[in-house]
Amino acid sequence: MSAATAPRTRWRLLIGVLVALGLLSAAAVGGLYWLDYEFRHPAPDSGRPGAWMSVDANEVSRFTRVGIPAQADDIRWGYKKGFQDDFAVLTFRIPQTGLDDFQGGLPVSRWAENKYIQSVDLDGFLHIGAPDPSNASPLTCGGYLSPGKAKNVATEICVASRSDGTSQVWVSAFHTP
């Protein structure tokens, strides 16, 4: 090998090593992004925090401490496993004539008009395909705290009248210390 070709070979080797390191770095960053995405978006029924679990409406009703009336229609529900606190959403429509009985059977001390719905509740209602409560007007809400096995359960109920003679009910609940 001549003296002139030796530096070129070293440069080619150096460039090859730098390209290989760049590709390895890009693969590592991509792998970390994939792992982070999998951590932030766990598969349904995985039992990992943040996973939406397959449970039936009665189980969600027991968790939220809100009974589903017999005349309820378009019942939708969801249950999300949390790291420390689980979260459940439930929504249904009932006839206007049954609204007073439904509200009277709940331990809510005060019903008030409300325009603000927490984003976690909106995300839950969106996940189950329920109507958006922030578009309902007037929206009447009430809540209560009930004892649980290890933690209390905070339940929030919102109700709005619909033009078809029914009332839409939104329920959200989560464990709280």
Side-chain angles (χ1 to χ4, degrees), residues 50 54 81 93 131:
S54 294
K81 178 89 171 139
R93 288 190 324 238

Side-chain angles (χ1 to χ4, degrees), residues 22-156:
L23 291 173
L24 285 173
S25 296
V29 168
L32 289 174
Y33 177 78
W34 177 78
L35 286 174
D36 186 50
Y37 182 85
E38 289 296 313
F39 181 73
R40 289 181 289 123
H41 301 94
D45 288 329
S46 66
R48 291 183 42 222
W52 286 94
M53 306 299 288
S54 294
V55 298
D56 64 12
N58 291 328
E59 191 171 340
V60 171
S61 176
R62 280 190 299 275
F63 179 83
T64 62
R65 308 319 200 263
V66 175
I68 301 172
Q71 68 271 30
D73 188 24
D74 191 23
I75 303 166
R76 298 170 191 232
W77 64 92
Y79 185 87
K80 190 174 188 178
K81 178 89 171 139
F83 177 68
Q84 291 180 333
D85 302 322
D86 294 350
F87 170 68
V89 288
L90 173 68
T91 183
F92 50 86
R93 288 190 324 238
I94 57 173
Q96 285 283 353
T97 55
L99 182 60
D100 288 336
D101 290 338
F102 171 73
Q103 287 179 313
L106 297 170
V108 175
S109 60
R110 185 172 148 277
W111 292 93
E113 192 168 317
N114 192 1
K115 294 190 184 302
Y116 175 76
I117 302 294
Q118 293 184 29
S119 64
V120 68
D121 294 344
L122 285 176
D123 291 344
F125 294 132
L126 177 66
H127 177 77
I128 63 173
D132 185 350
S134 58
N135 293 333
S137 181
L139 186 65
T140 305
C141 298
Y144 56 91
L145 197 62
S146 54
K149 292 178 185 173
K151 296 181 177 185
N152 295 329
V153 175
T155 302
E156 180 79 15

